[in-house]
Amino acid sequence: GTVRPDVGYVGGGALPGRQLATAVVAIPTTGLTAKARALRIGDPSVVPRVADDALILDVRTVEDSQLENLARRVAAVIEAQ
């Protein structure tokens, strides 16, 4: 995958639609819908976006201690299907 700048959104409540600069990992792959679903229902659950023919992972809220487990999970799904 590649790291690229992107924009995330803070969410609802007091800041609906507020943009937040971030960096994402874009993983081009085939079978995007099936792979995104497998990530969402797996353990640990990973919630990617699907855009530009890639799985998009915004890791700004991932703790350093979680990165290795996240990378293993994503690699397993990408390689399995």
Side-chain angles (χ1 to χ4, degrees):
T2 59
V3 177
R4 68 178 195 211
D6 204 335
V7 176
Y9 292 90
V10 175
L15 301 169
R18 170 69 66 90
Q19 291 185 345
L20 181 64
T22 190
V24 298
V25 178
I27 305 168
T29 187
T30 58
L32 288 169
T33 302
K35 289 176 182 173
R37 183 176 187 283
L39 286 167
R40 288 182 182 112
I41 64 173
D43 184 22
S45 180
V46 178
V47 183
R49 281 189 290 131
V50 174
D52 303 323
D53 297 321
L55 294 173
I56 309 295
L57 302 171
D58 184 344
V59 296
R60 76 183 142 82
T61 60
V62 177
E63 299 287 332
D64 288 346
S65 62
Q66 298 171 314
L67 287 174
E68 187 175 334
N69 198 24
L70 172 62
R72 270 196 305 265
R73 177 80 183 111
V74 171
V77 167
I78 296 298
E79 293 169 4
Q81 298 181 7

